[in-house]
Amino acid sequence: MAKGLQGFLWTMLLLFCAIQELGSWAVHTAVEGPGLGQPGDPALLASGRVKRGWVWNQFFVVEEYTGTEPLYVGKIHSDSDEGDGSIKYTISGEGAGTIFLIDEITGDIHATERLDREQKTFYTLRAQARDRQTDQLLEPESEFIIKVQDINDSEPRFLEGPYIGSVAELSPIGTSVMQVMASDADDPTYGSSARVVYSVLEGEQHFTVDSKTGVIRTAVADLDRETQDRYEVVIRATDMAGQLGGLSGSTTVTIVVTDVNDNPPRFPQKMYQFSIVETAPVGTAIGRVKAEDSDVGENTDMTYQVKDEEGVEMFKVTTDSNTQEAVITVQKPLDYESKKVHTVVVEALNKFVDPRFVDLGTFRDQTIVRVSVLDVDEPPEFRPPSNLMEVQEDAHVGSVVGVVTALDPDTANHPVRYAIDRSTDTERIFDIDAKTGAIVTGKVLDRETAGWHNITVLAMEADNHSQVSRASLRIRILDVNDNPPELATPYEAAVCEDAKPGQLIQTISVVDRDEPQSGHRFYFTLAPEATNNHHFSLLDIQDNTAAVHTQRVGFNRQEQDVYLLPILVVDSGPPALSSTGTLTIRVCGCDSNGAIQSCNSTAYVVSATLSPGALIALLVCVLILVVLVLLILTLKRHHKSHLTSEDDEDMRDNVIKYNDEGGGEQDTEAYDMSALRSLYDFSEIKGGDGGGGPGEGGPGRNPASELHALPQWVQSPDLDFSVFRDYICRKVEQADEDLSVPPYDSFQTYAFEGSDSPVPSLSSINTWSSGSEQDFSYLGGWGPRFRQLAALYAGRRGEEDSEES
């Protein structure tokens, strides 16, 4: 027993040691860092293992702390701390020194700020333990986390709102409308802060919501869009699984009730009345009716139809797709005298019928439409309306073609008068009796000229010509045999000189302008004047054609090169008419194969070109025209040489333009005075005293003597321009008579200064005196610029005076 007790004690001791060892591992954090366990380290144990580490529990801090003192978070501790204050604890990382503070001696950590888990759920920091004296690390730096512990401080929120859903009317109970979902920012892993349940705050009479999923469903089966087409439902979401103290949020859900075709069309009235005049044309709208439908959209689309037989025959109903109205139109002409009132049954029915609601009743409705026909004064009506008449083309003028009849449809039955619209019968080929309506011929008819006539006959009331009706009448001219048959073309045939008897030369046919009802039948024979013909024969082929054959052996074109064969053609009548046509047959030379080589000067060979005689005549005409043109040109040139005169001048060569200013009295070479003098060398000056003899123009003349002809403008009250008028007239006559030169312009402008000019003009146009009659002493008063000119003319005047003396 003692041994058993001893064994039990040893067992308990071992169990205790094991438990202590496990506890040490649970609360210690063994750290093996660099520098630990090195040789010579005083902390090194005999076994060679350093057993040092941080000691702390998991750190939590409650969010939204509202206390005035810092909130205690936890404590960090090194197992080497003996409590003597030789170890200094520090932290670093997120919020270190601002949010979280640590007691350097004890290692206690406090939170100094209010935290929000929804913004940040945890903070990561690092802890250090240093020797206070040497500031050496006693423990390796270690990382730890401070978690923010959640509290229920966030209410559920509907983030996807506003919500709008729809459900069809008359949907069964439990029909899903839509789903709403609320979100809670609290920690879903901690407690029930984020567990949300849903409930209906408003609208629970018509809708429910699933507390867990948020699916909204119908609570009743009689939702009627026509009664209420939308509902505002308030849904609430509560956290803490709906327990007391949980936070909640709400949202408004708009539920629209959509339409179904559950209402039939209904006419507001059971009878409608309309009126229309009897002359209304087919297709005229009488009126509109509309059936009301409480539904919307395509559920209101409807069609209308006429149900009674009378209405179907007289009227037509169509549906206006825009307004969904029934449009009633006239389908047949109305007649007040026949029927004054029409009754029409119109039915309206939905175009789209929902089979789920057929048991609600018939989706159609009927109404009665009463149409009153109004009487109007109508024009006469043609009866019967036949528009075809026939008349023989040989009918005499005044023959009756036919009779038209028109009656007044009104009750008054006014007398009717007839006329022909002359715009359709401008030649007045037909006339009509105004009272009886008999149509007669007004001129001789000819079917071959016009086989049909289209005229318009007018019928009007005798006392009211505004009531007019028209009828188109076609008159066919019947044929009589009044035109003889004729050869289809002026036939020409050719026969070879070596032709044999019985050889076919030509097949002929005829035309006849008449058109007998039984068709044409023509008979061919040789004319009586060709009975002695022994050269050719004529064979009637019995198909309105005939064949011409040779009747002898060979022909000689030297003896006779052309044969004229008269042919008599007779039609079948009645009466039988005939005509004679001539077939021209030419004798031609042919080769061995029978191909025609030559006939006469124009036949076959040059039939498409000009004859040699015509070519020669054309060449002679061309030569005559060339000779006439050359003769005309020669006469014009000779006439031009006689019109030239020695004393005539070309004014185009007498215009000299100068506009530069002189250089003063020292400039003696600025102007060529001889050029100025030559401008006025008229015939009168040449013959005067100042003209000089033939030797005066030599190169040895004095320049001063060459300038005596410069005239002076002297204002005179009796100026005579006859010399210039005669000169210009001669030039105009020469230009008009000479047709061989281009038309040069002969217009010249002569201008001179007025009487107010301080310096007289130098122009010699109106100067009548010669050089010997002028006094140039006035040039001395013109100033320094004209001093040289005054000296020249003054010197010339002195020389003339000395010569005269």
Side-chain angles (χ1 to χ4, degrees):
M1 184 176 180
K3 290 183 179 180
L5 180 60
Q6 185 178 3
F8 173 76
L9 293 175
W10 276 107
T11 301
M12 293 297 294
L13 181 60
L14 290 174
L15 182 61
F16 177 79
C17 292
I19 292 173
Q20 186 177 8
E21 186 68 13
L22 290 173
S24 175
W25 278 98
V27 298
H28 288 65
T29 301
V31 179
E32 296 181 0
L36 295 180
Q38 297 295 328
D41 192 332
L44 189 61
L45 300 179
S47 61
R49 173 174 173 269
V50 177
K51 194 176 182 181
R52 290 182 181 178
W54 290 101
V55 180
W56 60 63
N57 294 322
Q58 183 68 45
F59 295 115
F60 294 95
V61 59
V62 179
E63 68 169 336
E64 303 297 341
Y65 173 70
T66 58
T68 58
E69 297 294 331
L71 178 63
Y72 179 75
V73 178
K75 182 185 181 76
I76 61 172
H77 182 69
S78 174
D79 56 2
S80 62
D81 187 0
E82 298 179 356
D84 56 358
S86 61
I87 297 178
K88 182 176 67 174
Y89 297 99
T90 60
I91 59 174
S92 62
E94 296 178 334
T98 56
I99 300 176
F100 302 104
L101 300 178
I102 187 171
D103 190 318
E104 296 180 352
I105 298 175
T106 62
D108 295 332
I109 301 175
H110 292 80
T112 61
E113 294 184 8
R114 184 176 180 179
L115 304 179
D116 187 357
R117 192 204 66 84
E118 286 71 32
Q119 295 183 359
K120 191 172 183 63
T121 58
F122 63 89
Y123 295 84
T124 303
L125 297 96
R126 291 178 298 278
Q128 295 178 349
R130 295 179 178 272
D131 186 282
R132 189 176 296 275
Q133 299 297 330
T134 63
D135 200 31
Q136 292 182 355
L137 283 173
L138 300 178
E139 298 289 349
E141 185 178 73
S142 179
E143 184 179 275
F144 63 96
I145 295 174
I146 300 177
K147 292 185 177 181
V148 181
Q149 190 173 7
D150 183 47
I151 64 172
N152 189 20
D153 60 340
S154 298
E155 72 278 3
R157 295 184 178 181
F158 294 91
L159 303 179
E160 298 179 3
Y163 294 92
I164 300 177
S166 63
V167 63
E169 63 176 330
L170 301 180
S171 296
I173 296 175
T175 301
S176 177
V177 179
M178 64 179 302
Q179 183 181 16
V180 295
M181 184 175 293
S183 177
D184 196 321
D186 292 327
D187 189 359
T189 63
Y190 180 76
S192 300
S193 299
R195 291 181 58 188
V196 179
V197 294
Y198 302 93
S199 60
V200 179
L201 282 182
E202 296 181 11
E204 64 274 6
Q205 300 89 351
H206 302 94
F207 300 96
T208 61
V209 63
D210 188 289
S211 62
K212 294 181 180 180
T213 62
V215 176
I216 302 174
R217 303 178 185 275
T218 57
V220 294
D222 59 350
L223 292 177
D224 187 10
R225 188 202 64 82
E226 289 73 31
T227 303
Q228 185 173 352
D229 61 351
R230 68 175 55 226
Y231 294 87
E232 303 290 339
V233 181
V234 179
I235 303 298
R236 179 174 62 184
T238 306
D239 60 11
M240 296 296 292
Q243 297 177 5
L244 186 64
L247 302 179
S248 65
S250 62
T251 186
T252 300
V253 179
T254 301
I255 300 176
V256 178
V257 181
T258 59
D259 184 60
V260 297
N261 194 7
D262 60 337
N263 294 281
R266 291 289 181 263
F267 284 103
Q269 301 174 212
K270 288 304 178 182
M271 177 177 288
Y272 296 87
Q273 291 188 356
F274 298 101
S275 60
I276 188 170
V277 296
E278 61 176 333
T279 56
V282 174
T284 303
I286 300 174
R288 292 171 175 249
V289 296
K290 182 179 181 181
E292 302 294 338
D293 194 329
S294 300
D295 298 320
V296 294
E298 67 175 11
N299 295 323
T300 62
D301 292 348
M302 46 184 94
T303 57
Y304 298 89
Q305 58 186 3
V306 179
K307 295 300 293 182
D308 60 309
E309 295 181 0
E310 178 191 356
V312 171
E313 182 181 0
M314 299 297 299
F315 303 98
K316 181 181 178 180
V317 176
T318 58
T319 303
D320 189 330
S321 59
N322 295 325
T323 62
Q324 297 301 315
E325 292 178 317
V327 182
I328 305 171
T329 57
V330 178
Q331 186 163 279
K332 290 184 64 176
L334 302 174
D335 186 11
Y336 172 82
E337 289 72 24
S338 300
K339 191 170 184 178
K340 299 179 177 60
V341 178
H342 296 268
T343 301
V344 184
V345 178
V346 179
E347 182 181 64
L349 63 156
N350 278 131
K351 186 181 294 185
F352 306 103
V353 178
D354 195 332
R356 296 177 299 172
F357 308 107
V358 174
D359 56 346
L360 296 179
T362 176
F363 283 80
R364 61 183 63 198
D365 194 20
Q366 293 182 351
T367 188
I368 297 175
V369 178
R370 186 175 181 181
V371 180
S372 300
V373 181
L374 304 179
D375 184 30
V376 295
D377 189 7
E378 300 175 272
E381 294 180 356
F382 286 91
R383 300 176 184 177
S386 176
N387 60 350
L388 177 62
M389 293 182 180
E390 295 179 345
V391 62
Q392 295 285 343
E393 67 173 322
D394 59 349
H396 299 288
V397 175
S399 300
V400 177
V401 179
V403 178
V404 294
T405 303
L407 300 176
D408 185 9
D410 296 324
T411 307
N413 194 14
H414 298 96
V416 177
R417 296 293 179 264
Y418 303 93
I420 294 178
D421 186 354
R422 289 305 174 185
S423 64
T424 61
D425 184 26
T426 55
E427 298 181 4
R428 295 183 174 270
I429 299 177
F430 301 97
D431 293 320
I432 189 171
D433 190 289
K435 294 183 179 181
T436 63
I439 299 176
V440 297
T441 57
K443 290 184 178 180
V444 177
L445 303 178
D446 184 11
R447 189 204 63 83
E448 287 72 32
T449 303
W452 288 87
H453 294 273
N454 297 318
I455 64 174
T456 300
V457 179
L458 308 178
M460 62 200 78
E461 294 181 2
D463 55 350
N464 185 7
H465 289 184
S466 63
Q467 295 296 327
V468 181
S469 59
R470 298 170 177 267
S472 296
L473 184 62
R474 296 189 303 159
I475 301 176
R476 180 182 179 183
I477 309 301
L478 300 179
D479 183 51
V480 296
N481 193 23
D482 58 348
N483 293 281
E486 298 174 352
L487 294 181
T489 60
Y491 287 103
E492 288 190 6
V495 61
C496 295
E497 288 182 300
D498 56 352
K500 298 178 180 179
Q503 183 175 344
L504 177 64
I505 299 176
Q506 181 70 44
T507 300
I508 61 176
S509 60
V510 296
V511 294
D512 193 335
R513 298 176 62 190
D514 296 322
E515 292 182 358
Q517 296 181 356
S518 59
H520 290 289
R521 179 67 181 94
F522 303 109
Y523 304 94
F524 300 86
T525 60
L526 293 177
E529 58 267 25
T531 54
N532 297 325
N533 169 57
H534 301 290
H535 306 291
F536 306 97
S537 63
L538 180 66
L539 176 62
D540 191 343
I541 306 177
Q542 304 296 322
D543 62 350
N544 294 334
T545 61
V548 178
H549 298 82
T550 58
Q551 201 173 3
R552 74 176 214 182
V553 178
F555 294 87
N556 189 350
R557 59 176 173 170
Q558 300 299 330
E559 296 178 357
Q560 185 175 354
D561 60 349
V562 177
Y563 293 88
L564 301 178
L565 185 64
I567 299 173
L568 178 65
V569 184
V570 183
D571 61 17
S572 57
L577 301 178
S578 63
S579 67
T580 300
T582 302
L583 173 63
T584 302
I585 303 174
R586 301 183 185 277
V587 181
C588 302
C590 303
D591 58 11
S592 58
N593 297 325
I596 296 175
Q597 296 297 319
S598 63
C599 294
N600 49 35
S601 60
T602 59
Y604 298 104
V605 177
V606 293
S607 60
T609 60
L610 294 175
S611 64
L615 292 174
I616 293 173
L618 182 62
L619 291 176
V620 171
C621 292
V622 172
L623 291 175
I624 293 174
L625 289 175
V626 172
V627 172
L628 288 176
V629 170
L630 294 176
L631 182 60
I632 292 173
L633 292 177
T634 303
L635 291 175
K636 285 186 177 181
R637 185 175 301 174
H638 180 71
H639 180 67
K640 178 181 178 182
S641 61
H642 282 282
L643 293 177
T644 306
S645 178
E646 292 182 357
D647 58 342
D648 293 334
E649 295 179 348
D650 191 353
M651 293 298 294
R652 296 189 308 273
D653 298 334
N654 292 339
V655 177
I656 295 178
K657 180 180 180 181
Y658 57 94
N659 56 5
D660 53 336
E661 185 179 351
E665 63 177 349
Q666 301 299 327
D667 187 2
T668 60
E669 298 180 359
Y671 300 98
D672 187 359
M673 296 302 176
S674 62
L676 294 177
R677 185 193 62 79
S678 63
L679 291 177
Y680 311 100
D681 192 11
F682 298 107
S683 57
E684 293 82 354
I685 300 176
K686 289 180 180 180
D689 296 335
E696 291 179 2
R701 292 184 58 188
N702 189 349
S705 63
E706 296 179 358
L707 302 178
H708 71 282
L710 182 64
Q712 177 186 3
W713 167 253
V714 178
Q715 187 172 358
S716 175
D718 51 349
L719 298 178
D720 186 6
F721 295 96
S722 60
V723 61
F724 300 102
R725 187 180 300 107
D726 295 341
Y727 174 78
I728 293 175
C729 290
R730 287 200 308 274
K731 285 295 183 181
V732 172
E733 291 177 359
Q734 293 178 11
D736 291 340
E737 294 175 358
D738 190 358
L739 302 178
S740 62
V741 296
Y744 291 108
D745 291 335
S746 297
F747 178 79
Q748 299 291 337
T749 301
Y750 300 95
F752 53 87
E753 295 181 3
S755 59
D756 293 336
S757 175
V759 178
S761 174
L762 294 177
S763 175
S764 61
I765 294 179
N766 286 298
T767 302
W768 293 97
S769 61
S770 64
S772 60
E773 297 174 352
Q774 297 189 37
D775 184 7
F776 297 101
S777 59
Y778 65 90
L779 294 177
W782 284 12
R785 293 188 178 185
F786 297 91
R787 185 176 302 166
Q788 185 69 21
L789 185 63
L792 292 174
Y793 278 87
R796 177 59 181 168
R797 183 66 175 174
E799 291 178 0
E800 292 179 354
D801 294 342
S802 62
E803 290 177 357
E804 292 177 357
S805 60

